[in-house]
Amino acid sequence: MISLEQLSKVYQSKGKTVIGVDDVSLDINKGEIFGVVGYSGAGKSTLLRCMNILERPTEGKVMVDGIDLMTLNSRDLRKARQSIGMIFQGFHLAMAKTVLENVAFALKASGVNRQERKRRAQELLELVGLSDKADQYPAQLSGGQKQRVSIARALANDPKVLLCDEATSALDPNTTQSILKLLKRINRELGLTIVLITHEMEVVKEICDRCAVMEDGKIVEQGSTYEIFADPENELTKRFIQTVIDFRIPEKVLSERKGTIVHMTFKGDSANESVVSDLLQGYSIRANILHGKIDYIQDQALGTFVMELTGERKVVQQAIQDLREKLGEVEVLQDDRSTDQSLARAE
Ligand SMILES: Nc1ncnc2c1ncn2[C@@H]1O[C@H](COP(=O)(O)OP(=O)(O)OP(=O)(O)O)[C@@H](O)[C@H]1O
Ligand SMILES: [Mg+2]
């Protein structure tokens, strides 16, 4: 649905060159929810704004629904933009207009008559659960309700794509959840392709089918949300995931442990299998769980465990090797320190 090819955006401000987006190529499929995460200044908004040429790329190609947006004249571009809705962190509503007028106004440019605009706006307010607020003004609404109005407005011209720039960043966790649910519902019901940028990995975990991580204008990693969570490669990606799945064990706890401490990730079915108890049965070693959690990402289980394995060193090594064969990566967070202790005692 959206295809970016070697896209770059360079700003010249006060004689200085600032790179907003640096050689990004990206394909977003029809009907998916695609997330872009990154810290402030990573280039997320610039990338998103290039997708509807609110920001004209310095280099590269932007294809949306088979149309090369960079080649359009301003009239055709305005028309093409009608199929690309957009919502923002700050809602951008007209404060002097009622809720209904805000939504109806978006239909004006497409030449729909007054009565039809009103009917369609009412329908959209119903879709986002705000029919009872039609005659109120934005100032009378909560943040979540304002964002619903801006979603209704963005959907007015039946877009194929919805671009969301930090749409939930100004909202509390509960309201964020309800807006994410709404986005997911319109994604499924209307077959809408959604691109969502955020600095919250929790938001990605909640609704994105696939995602990309951005740093310094570049995409440093991308893939299905599940695979990104299960097998992050990039250090930055790992840091983002840690905000959702934090398996760090306090130093004090680690220092009191003498066995081998391992971190492992169980994917899909193996998260539910009795891998841990098999391990206990098969070897004469003990396993203490220091951290254990199963997350559900896109309805698939992902288990994260940190365990202390104690027993004969050789047997523990063998168990870790077998686990690696079964599970993939098993990371040793702290080596066995029982021998160090006996050495210390011998001194
Ligand atoms: N109009 C502009 N003129 C000059 N530089 C700009 C302009 N817009 C963005 N930039 C620069 O481009 C880079 C990327 O900015 P961008 O707003 O895309 O980041 P972001 O990832 O959206 O950050 P945030 O999470 O804070 O919104 C930054 O270094 C920023 O200073
Ligand atoms: Mg931004």
Side-chain angles (χ1 to χ4, degrees):
M1 176 59 80
I2 302 174
S3 175
L4 308 178
E5 274 176 46
Q6 300 182 310
L7 191 91
S8 293
K9 174 70 191 181
V10 179
Y11 295 103
Q12 303 290 348
S13 68
K14 294 177 195 153
K16 272 204 248 163
T17 303
V18 180
I19 299 175
V21 173
D22 190 3
D23 194 22
V24 165
S25 295
L26 185 64
D27 282 298
I28 296 171
N29 304 321
K30 188 174 187 310
E32 77 177 343
I33 304 186
F34 193 94
V36 180
V37 282
Y39 289 130
S40 186
K44 307 180 296 295
S45 296
T46 308
L47 183 72
L48 199 75
R49 292 162 64 86
C50 283
M51 291 182 192
N52 58 1
I53 324 287
L54 268 183
E55 206 74 79
R56 188 162 278 277
T58 326
E59 261 177 76
K61 199 166 166 182
V62 181
M63 299 282 293
V64 177
D65 200 21
I67 299 172
D68 184 345
L69 297 187
M70 293 282 278
T71 62
L72 302 182
N73 61 30
S74 53
R75 205 189 90 232
D76 289 342
L77 183 59
R78 265 201 303 279
K79 192 152 177 286
R81 277 204 190 115
Q82 288 189 357
S83 63
I84 311 173
M86 193 162 185
I87 61 173
F88 308 87
Q89 174 174 0
F91 321 123
H92 295 201
L93 298 174
M95 300 308 274
K97 284 188 164 64
T98 65
V99 163
L100 189 87
E101 286 164 353
N102 262 281
V103 180
F105 187 72
L107 289 156
K108 215 167 177 179
S110 51
V112 181
N113 73 42
R114 199 189 163 88
Q115 210 175 1
E116 173 61 12
R117 286 206 296 271
K118 195 172 168 197
R119 193 197 59 77
R120 176 82 182 120
Q122 269 161 344
E123 201 176 86
L124 286 159
L125 286 177
E126 190 142 331
L127 179 74
V128 301
L130 276 187
S131 323
D132 56 330
K133 303 283 183 208
D135 298 326
Q136 304 213 329
Y137 288 86
Q140 296 169 290
L141 304 182
S142 71
Q145 289 166 338
K146 282 183 203 151
Q147 197 56 288
R148 282 171 193 271
V149 178
S150 75
I151 291 171
R153 182 183 56 184
L155 297 178
N157 291 300
D158 278 326
K160 297 191 168 114
V161 174
L162 180 65
L163 306 177
C164 312
D165 192 345
E166 304 272 1
T168 58
S169 299
L171 307 174
D172 67 53
N174 264 336
T175 314
T176 294
Q177 282 295 327
S178 75
I179 293 294
L180 293 181
K181 263 200 191 135
L182 173 63
L183 289 176
K184 189 151 192 169
R185 181 158 65 81
I186 57 181
N187 160 257
R188 300 288 182 256
E189 283 178 12
L190 311 175
L192 194 71
T193 306
I194 297 181
V195 187
L196 186 151
I197 67 179
T198 178
H199 56 264
E200 292 172 288
M201 205 58 188
E202 188 67 46
V203 168
V204 172
K205 181 193 166 202
E206 209 60 48
I207 65 163
C208 295
D209 301 303
R210 291 196 306 137
C211 64
V213 181
M214 263 189 107
E215 186 176 32
D216 295 336
K218 288 194 170 64
I219 287 180
V220 295
E221 189 162 2
Q222 62 169 304
S224 82
T225 302
Y226 188 83
E227 283 306 322
I228 292 279
F229 269 88
D231 267 325
E233 306 243 315
N234 187 278
E235 279 311 311
L236 178 64
T237 314
K238 288 180 186 171
R239 244 185 291 155
F240 270 108
I241 288 168
Q242 209 167 66
T243 62
V244 177
I245 306 174
D246 191 356
F247 58 83
R248 284 173 301 174
I249 310 293
E251 277 301 321
K252 185 168 183 302
V253 175
L254 281 180
S255 69
E256 286 161 0
R257 299 287 168 169
K258 303 290 173 255
T260 306
I261 298 179
V262 292
H263 158 235
M264 47 196 143
T265 302
F266 296 61
K267 279 198 220 174
D269 289 343
S270 71
N272 302 320
E273 273 177 22
S274 49
V275 182
V276 183
S277 56
D278 287 356
L279 172 71
L280 282 170
Q281 273 177 7
Y283 306 90
S284 48
I285 57 176
R286 277 168 45 103
N288 289 323
I289 294 179
L290 303 181
H291 170 100
K293 189 173 181 230
I294 295 180
D295 285 271
Y296 290 88
I297 298 164
Q298 304 294 293
D299 299 328
Q300 277 179 282
L302 180 68
T304 310
F305 286 85
V306 176
M307 279 190 253
E308 178 196 30
L309 307 178
T310 41
E312 213 182 301
R313 193 180 280 245
K314 252 199 202 149
V315 182
V316 170
Q317 289 306 325
Q318 186 59 50
I320 293 174
Q321 206 172 323
D322 289 353
L323 274 171
R324 281 201 175 117
E325 269 164 38
K326 233 178 192 165
L327 303 172
E329 199 182 347
V330 176
E331 185 187 2
V332 176
L333 299 178
Q334 183 169 289
D335 279 319
D336 181 290
R337 303 188 315 150
S338 50
T339 343
D340 303 352
Q341 281 302 306
S342 56
L343 280 176
R345 271 199 299 276
E347 272 169 14

